[in-house]
Amino acid sequence: MKKRRAFACVLCAAVLLSSVLCGCDIGPHSIESLMRPPHAGSERELEKALETILGSGFSLRAPQSGDYHTAVTRFDLNGDRQQEALVFYSRATDSVRLCVLRQNAGSWEKVNDFPGDGSGVYSLSFDDMNDDGFSEIFVGWYLFNDKSKKALTVYSASANDGLSVSVCTTESYDHYVLTDVKNNGEKQLFIAYADVSKTPIAATLKRIGMDAAGHVFTAGSLPMDPRIVRIDSLLFDRPKGEPYPRVFADALLSDNQMITEVFLWSEERNNYECAFRQSDEGLNTETQRGGTLKSADVDDDGLIEIPLRKRFIQSAADEVAVGYLLAWCGVEGKTLTPQIYYAVNVAQDYRLFLPKEWNGRVFVHYTDAAHWEFVNGRGETLFSVSVQESASLKSNNATVTVLDDTSAPGMTYFCRVTEKGRAFGVTEEELESYFEYYAGGTTK
């Protein structure tokens, strides 16, 4: 894969913010100020080109998400070490447009000017799908100021007349990723989308490829769990030694219910398939969980883990809202294998890391949310984690190991280790490193 160096034009933040949010018209002097600093000769030529090509009465528009946040972005589309310019703009109440300019003999000229597929620019990215040395342009548009309704347009660059840019496809999407499926340098586009116009809502993972001539084709399409109402994220990884990437789609079933759909390559089908299906209705209950905590690589091993909630064993209360065991599970084949454990106290806003070797040997027992005891299989207390008003704790002259006394004003989190716990191998210093305050109970 050919590598290219790219950088976004440096624009004046204050003027850009006013132009984007207030929609003011940008005249010649405003353009000049937007392009500074730096103010090299090539930048001055670009300013003049914008004045000439776009004329007057336009507003610059900037992407609202992604790696590029300026209305004018410089990028080498064809690998000739000379950067092109991509400009998002609009006039009056018209939809936003994309203008592509190139340098020719020291002067800037328009390559093409495209109408946008939405009312605003959501994101901009670049990648070479078919490994031909020309970068595709990926523009996410949001519709009617509703960022939950988005369209993705793929533009392809080619060498016609030095440089040509054309529209390849436009797709509705919630999230997308690009990854090399066959490990041959050619990337495919994965698009996850929940079609809310259908009843019931239809969620789909679509896979799009590009041939050597630059033509796109649908490489595959798979339905997701029919209960899905929105796609929340799309990730991929590639286990060591595996030829195909795995794709993970976090999706909401309701405001506080989520699943992760996992798509694995099937040699038998010569296509992807969904890993977890427990019924003819296509329901995925294996990764279903309360809350909206998304999948992530939590142990920095390059592989995605899925967060699953489990009720505590030997718990005196049944209310899941008080606390739960959070197990970050790796996917091994079609099996979920816990990798990292946390005891999460939702009521008191903290979590405690539990080493993997403690699984099945250390359990949580509590009489109230402010005091949790961690016991062995015989019910003997190994250590406890408590929270108490700082003033009350001080007045009692209690000798404790403080875990945190700054995150929650007026409250102190502390622990005690019993002799049984010391024999087990637990220390106060260890618990200090395992403890983490986090309000809301939704971080990883």
Side-chain angles (χ1 to χ4, degrees):
M1 182 72 66
K2 298 184 179 180
K3 296 183 178 179
R4 305 173 188 83
R5 299 178 61 189
F7 65 92
C9 283
V10 180
L11 303 181
C12 174
V15 178
L16 176 59
L17 185 63
S18 64
S19 69
V20 173
L21 299 183
C22 301
C24 61
D25 294 337
I26 304 301
H29 298 293
S30 298
I31 291 176
E32 185 174 343
S33 66
L34 281 170
M35 300 305 294
R36 292 176 177 169
H39 190 69
S42 62
E43 300 303 335
R44 178 56 186 159
E45 292 299 323
L46 179 53
E47 293 170 22
K48 292 179 179 179
L50 289 176
E51 295 167 11
T52 301
I53 294 171
L54 300 184
S56 61
F58 68 89
S59 298
L60 292 174
R61 306 290 293 275
Q64 302 298 296
S65 183
D67 295 330
Y68 300 90
H69 294 279
T70 55
V72 182
T73 300
R74 297 276 296 273
F75 195 93
D76 182 3
L77 295 174
N78 54 5
D80 64 356
R81 298 185 180 180
Q82 188 166 262
Q83 294 179 326
E84 285 67 48
L86 289 83
V87 183
F88 293 105
Y89 73 98
S90 63
R91 288 190 175 88
T93 58
D94 293 344
S95 295
V96 64
R97 298 182 68 89
L98 169 62
C99 183
V100 182
L101 299 91
R102 69 171 181 174
Q103 300 181 67
N104 185 13
S107 299
W108 287 93
E109 61 183 25
K110 181 174 69 175
V111 175
N112 211 330
D113 191 289
F114 301 95
D117 290 293
S119 57
V121 190
Y122 184 74
S123 64
L124 169 68
S125 62
F126 305 90
D127 214 323
D128 184 357
M129 285 187 67
N130 58 358
D131 200 29
D132 65 351
F134 290 81
S135 287
E136 276 64 57
I137 306 165
F138 302 85
V139 180
W141 311 93
Y142 59 82
L143 310 178
F144 314 112
N145 294 318
D146 183 354
K147 294 182 177 61
S148 67
K149 299 177 181 178
K150 305 194 297 289
L152 176 69
T153 302
V154 182
Y155 303 85
S156 181
S158 63
N160 295 338
D161 297 324
L163 178 68
S164 176
V165 178
S166 58
V167 176
C168 290
T169 185
T170 298
E171 306 281 343
S172 297
Y173 83 107
D174 291 325
H175 293 274
Y176 74 90
V177 294
L178 279 145
T179 179
D180 185 346
V181 172
K182 299 181 180 179
N183 205 21
N184 63 356
E186 297 179 7
K187 294 186 177 182
Q188 292 188 349
L189 177 66
F190 288 78
I191 296 175
Y193 176 61
D195 189 351
V196 297
S197 68
K198 295 183 177 180
T199 305
I201 296 172
T204 305
L205 179 75
K206 189 174 183 180
R207 185 162 53 95
I208 295 175
M210 177 179 288
D211 62 24
H215 302 130
V216 299
F217 59 91
T218 299
S221 181
L222 290 170
M224 298 190 196
D225 190 303
R227 299 170 297 167
I228 290 174
V229 297
R230 192 181 80 214
I231 310 298
D232 229 27
S233 72
L234 193 63
L235 302 169
F236 71 90
D237 66 13
R238 191 190 299 268
K240 186 176 181 180
E242 293 293 328
Y244 297 97
R246 309 180 301 181
V247 179
F248 298 75
D250 289 318
L252 289 174
L253 305 181
S254 64
D255 288 341
N256 200 41
Q257 284 285 317
M258 175 175 277
I259 62 171
T260 300
E261 295 279 59
V262 181
F263 299 93
L264 307 176
W265 182 262
S266 169
E267 293 287 358
E268 180 181 353
R269 300 183 180 184
N270 194 34
N271 198 355
Y272 276 85
E273 63 178 2
C274 201
F276 304 113
R277 285 288 183 263
Q278 281 73 46
S279 68
D280 294 337
E281 291 78 21
L283 304 183
N284 172 6
T285 59
E286 286 290 309
T287 65
Q288 185 173 341
R289 57 197 182 269
T292 57
L293 187 58
K294 292 183 273 191
S295 302
D297 178 10
V298 293
D299 53 5
D300 297 321
D301 64 351
L303 302 178
I304 304 300
E305 284 83 34
I306 300 172
L308 299 181
R309 290 186 179 191
K310 298 182 179 180
R311 291 191 179 189
F312 289 126
I313 300 174
Q314 296 185 350
S315 171
D318 292 328
E319 295 184 10
V320 178
V322 172
Y324 56 89
L325 180 68
L326 176 64
W328 285 93
C329 298
V331 179
E332 298 179 2
K334 294 184 180 181
T335 302
L336 293 168
T337 304
Q339 304 293 327
I340 297 177
Y341 295 90
Y342 290 97
V344 181
N345 190 320
V346 177
Q348 298 298 333
D349 292 327
Y350 74 83
R351 69 176 185 176
L352 189 74
F353 170 74
L354 303 177
K356 193 173 182 178
E357 56 268 22
W358 290 7
N359 182 40
R361 302 173 62 204
V362 176
F363 309 96
V364 178
H365 178 86
Y366 56 89
T367 55
D368 60 72
H371 178 75
W372 280 10
E373 291 187 351
F374 293 78
V375 302
N376 59 21
R378 295 186 294 274
E380 300 167 328
T381 300
L382 303 176
F383 60 92
S384 62
V385 175
S386 306
V387 58
Q388 190 173 329
E389 290 184 356
S390 303
S392 173
L393 187 64
K394 186 176 181 179
S395 65
N396 292 332
N397 295 316
T399 302
V400 297
T401 298
V402 174
L403 299 173
D404 189 320
D405 59 0
T406 60
S407 298
M411 305 299 290
T412 296
Y413 295 82
F414 59 93
C415 69
R416 288 190 175 96
V417 179
T418 68
E419 291 303 317
K420 293 284 186 181
R422 298 189 192 285
F424 185 83
V426 182
T427 66
E428 287 85 350
E429 293 76 16
E430 192 174 31
L431 295 179
E432 286 182 75
S433 67
Y434 291 166
F435 179 88
E436 182 179 352
Y437 176 89
Y438 74 123
T442 57
T443 69
K444 69 182 184 183

